[in-house]
Amino acid sequence: MATDQPTDPRAILRAGLPDRYLTPEDLVTMFSLPSVETLYQWRRKRIGPPGFRVGRYLRYNPTAVHAWEAEQTAHNAADAA
């Protein structure tokens, strides 16, 4: 009996992860921010996109960043209305 799901655990794990996590520098470029320090301030104030640490490095899931951006856009549109 053949199944459509992969049996290799690494394939299952890869299916749910992005190809690449974003760096703070990526977000500075994406959102045209003044500096990486802006992201660190947002992180301290808990107002920016959710990030996580990999050792000493800060990374962002592209899906979570997109969801945060959509939430900000919706919030700003509601305020303007």
Side-chain angles (χ1 to χ4, degrees):
M1 176 185 221
T3 63
D4 293 337
Q5 297 180 350
T7 55
D8 180 12
R10 291 174 294 184
I12 294 169
L13 182 62
R14 279 192 304 268
L17 295 175
D19 292 335
R20 179 177 173 274
Y21 287 99
L22 301 172
T23 65
E25 291 79 10
D26 292 331
L27 270 65
V28 167
T29 302
M30 286 172 59
F31 295 118
S32 300
L33 299 173
S35 71
V36 175
E37 185 58 34
T38 302
L39 280 174
Y40 294 138
Q41 288 176 9
W42 288 358
R43 187 166 165 81
R44 282 190 295 274
K45 295 176 183 178
R46 300 185 191 281
I47 61 173
F52 61 96
R53 291 261 175 213
V54 179
R56 67 180 189 167
Y57 302 103
L58 182 59
R59 295 294 181 257
Y60 295 90
N61 185 326
T63 305
V65 171
H66 179 71
W68 176 82
E69 182 271 331
E71 179 183 313
Q72 297 303 307
T73 303
H75 180 71
N76 289 339
D79 286 346

